[in-house]
Each structure stands twice: as structure tokens, then as C-alpha cells.
Amino acid sequence: MSDSRRTDAVLLLVALVWGSSYLSAQTATSALPVLVVLFARYAVSALACLGLVAAGRGKERERGSGSRLWTREEVRAALPLGVTQAAVLAVETYGVAHTTAANAGLIISLTIVLTPLLDRAGHPGGLPPAFYAAASVCVLAVGLLMAGNGFHAPRLGDLLMLGAALVRAGHVALVGRLTTGRPIRPLQLTTLQTVIGTALFLPTAAPDLPALTRADTGTWTQLLYLALFCSVFAFLAQTWAVQRTSASRASLLLGTEPIWAAAIGIALGGDLLTPLTALGATLMVTGTYWGQSVERAHRTRRAPARVLAPVAAPEPP
């Protein structure tokens, strides 16, 4: 397998893992309180990240080199980003618990078109009209997805996922503002964020933590999958792959996440594919891809000399 095909395969695997996370989160929250699921996911992720950081420090000492465990800039960025990331995952996980996995994965993809709207610093002068047209298609898609089997009052879970998309877009914009052009190491930043998230969810989850001792093997499998694969592995694999391909290609492949989420939810989660849901899914994927391509072309025209990062794909709950 060539290097380019191997990189594409890794990016598709990341999109698949993230797409599957919605069903895993839904399964875990059906057996445990949401706050316990969030704490367990963060705690396991933090332990894994701390292990990777310690292993890296050991290799640096063997080579006779080394850097600071965490720089001041990494700590300064991690504090607000750890809080906003925890807020995003809390709203997402509550949302997944009250809607279908397919809907959750599709609605959260609104992040792709909401982020440029909030990131005014990255788009001085505004966005082209075509972008707003694409965003309108996504809004229509959300309405159809919320309708499900017929037009009715929106479900709580769908509204929470809509809120999660907005909060995540703000988080992604903040990531760009605090990290762009600064010497911040992804693993160190992620480790600090997981430690902060663990500390934030511990007090609220503490009364229900005994439920973890009663959880069966299947529930623990879902928790470990969310922490080790959907968080630690996916982030590190994404970083490795994006460094080896173009920004446009990475965005295209990572943008398949909502497709995987819908497919897995329908195939394994028993979600229903009604005509309205199918039309909403089609419009959502079309609108996000269209909006992503318009935003990317706009950035390229305004800053032809810069190395552009892909529009952030929505992270899983």
C-alpha cells in the first residue's frame, strides 16, 4: 500500500471510529448515568494520555534531550479549552441519550458550517453568499431530521444536539484563536484537557460512581472504546495523517463521519430510515460538503501563501 493510500485509510478509519461513537455513547448512557459516563471516559483518556506523555519523556531522557513537561502557553490554552470541551461533551452526551445515533451524528455535523460563522477573525470581510446558501440547506436538513416519522414538536435530544453543534463551533473557533501560530504540542494539550475534564466531572458524578462497579462487561467495553479509540487513538491518528496529506483531502475524508454515524445507527442501532430522515440526511451531507468547499476556497483566495488547516470535523460525544 502506498503512503498516500495508507494515509487515506487512516483518515477514513478516524471518521468511522468517530461515526460509531454516537451509538457507543447511547449504549453506555442507557446503562449508566450520563455524568458517570462522562467522568469514566475522561478519566480513562487522561490515564492513557499521561502514559503516552511519560513514555515520551522516557525516550527523551534516553537521547539525552528533553523539554518542559508542559509549557506556559500549553497550560494557558488548556484551561479555557478544557472547560469548553467538557461543556461540549456534556451537551452532546445528554443529546445522544435522547435521540437516535443517526440523528446525533448528522446534526452535530452542523459544526462544519457554524464554525466559520463564529470565527470572524479567520474570515475578515465576511463569507461569500454561497456559504450562507449552504448553511440554509443544513438548517432545512435539521428540520427534516427532527421531523422523523412526521412533522411534530422537536425532540429534546435533537434540540440538545443542535445546541451542542453551536457550542462545539465556538470551541473549535477558540482552539484556532489560542493555538494558531503558537508552539503547542497536541498530545500535551490533549492530556491537560482530559485531566481538566476529569476534575470537572468528578464532583457531580461522585454520588453515582458505585454504579461503575456494577456495570457489566458490555458497558465497560463501550466506555473503553469511547476513551481509548474515539478519543486518544482518533486524535493522534488524525494528527499523524493530516501532517501527511493535503488539507482539502483530509477535510473530505474526515467529513464522511456523519455518513458513518447514520449508517451504523441504522444498521446496528435499529434507527429507522424514513423518507423524511433520508431526505434530511442527504441535505445535511450535501450542505456541509458544499459549505466546507466554499469556505476552503474563500480562505485559499484570501491567503494563498499560507498553509491552511482543514475545517475541523466535529468530534464525537
Side-chain angles (χ1 to χ4, degrees), residues 30-79:
S30 67
L32 293 169
V34 170
L35 291 173
V36 173
V37 171
L38 287 165
F39 169 76
R41 178 177 179 176
Y42 261 111
V44 174
S45 296
L47 289 173
C49 286
L50 287 169
L52 291 173
V53 169
R57 294 285 290 179
K59 291 181 179 179
E60 287 180 354
R61 291 194 185 95
E62 289 177 2
R63 293 195 300 265
S65 62
S67 58
R68 295 180 63 180
L69 191 57
W70 281 286
T71 66
R72 184 175 299 176
E73 285 199 336
E74 288 166 350
V75 174
R76 190 177 298 154
L79 290 173

Side-chain angles (χ1 to χ4, degrees), residues 106 184 223 308:
L106 289 163
I184 292 178
L223 292 174
L308 300 173

Side-chain angles (χ1 to χ4, degrees), residues 19 81 123 168 245 274:
L81 293 179
H123 300 88
R168 180 168 290 284
T245 189
T274 66

Side-chain angles (χ1 to χ4, degrees), residues 18-26 96 101 104-105 108 161 257 261 314-317:
W18 277 352
S20 68
S21 68
Y22 301 97
L23 183 58
S24 292
Q26 190 178 63
V96 170
I108 199 64
M161 293 308 301
E257 179 195 336
E315 297 176 20

Side-chain angles (χ1 to χ4, degrees), residues 77-114:
L79 290 173
L81 293 179
V83 173
T84 55
Q85 184 189 64
V88 171
L89 291 184
V91 179
E92 283 184 5
T93 308
Y94 273 109
V96 170
H98 294 90
T99 189
T100 65
N103 271 20
L106 289 163
I107 293 174
I108 199 64
S109 65
L110 271 172
T111 302
I112 293 174
V113 294
L114 288 174

Side-chain angles (χ1 to χ4, degrees), residues 116-139:
L117 293 174
L118 297 179
D119 185 21
R120 308 305 297 177
H123 300 88
L127 291 157
F131 182 86
Y132 294 97
S136 299
V137 171
C138 292
V139 171

